Amino acid sequence: MTHLTSHVLDATAGIPAAGVTLTLAHRGGATVDTATTDADGRASLGPDLLADGDYTLTFATGAYFRARGLPSFHPEVVVTFTVGGEAHLHVPLLLSPFAYSTYRGS
C-alpha cells in the first residue's frame, strides 16, 4: 500500500507551479482522487494508501499556462506508473510551456 505525493515546478519562471490540477485514476478506469498544487507546488493524492496496480496521474498543464497568459504545447501531462508495495511514492514534474520531465522521486 502506497501514499502518493507530487511536486510541480515551473522551470520557465523558476517557481513552484501553484494551482495545477492533478487527477489520479486507475489505469483505464475510475478516478481515485483529484487535488490542486498549493503555493509550494505540492499535492497529496489518493486515500492514505493506494493498492498495488497501475495508475495514471494527469496534470492539467494547459490550464495552468492559460491562467498565466502563456501559450503551451501540452494541454495535459499524463504519467502512467505501477504501484508495487512502496510505502510512499513521489511523482515530481518539471514543467515548461513546451516540454516536461518527470521521474520517480523519493
Side-chain angles (χ1 to χ4, degrees):
M1 303 293 259
T2 301
H3 177 73
L4 178 69
T5 58
S6 183
H7 189 198
V8 183
L9 297 171
D10 183 334
T12 304
I15 59 172
V20 176
T21 300
L22 293 82
T23 303
L24 176 66
H26 293 280
R27 186 172 181 202
T31 297
V32 174
D33 196 12
T34 60
T36 302
T37 55
D38 63 15
D40 194 36
R42 296 181 184 275
S44 181
L45 291 107
D48 288 339
L49 298 173
L50 289 174
D52 291 353
D54 295 336
Y55 293 85
T56 60
L57 183 57
T58 303
F59 298 82
T61 56
Y64 169 78
F65 285 115
R66 274 192 306 279
R68 281 146 190 76
L70 298 171
S72 65
F73 183 69
H74 302 284
E76 61 186 22
V77 170
V78 179
V79 179
T80 303
F81 57 92
T82 301
V83 172
E86 303 89 346
H88 177 250
L89 187 61
H90 185 66
V91 182
L93 181 69
L94 184 60
L95 183 61
S96 80
F98 303 102
Y100 66 89
S101 178
T102 187
Y103 57 93
R104 180 180 173 178
S106 59

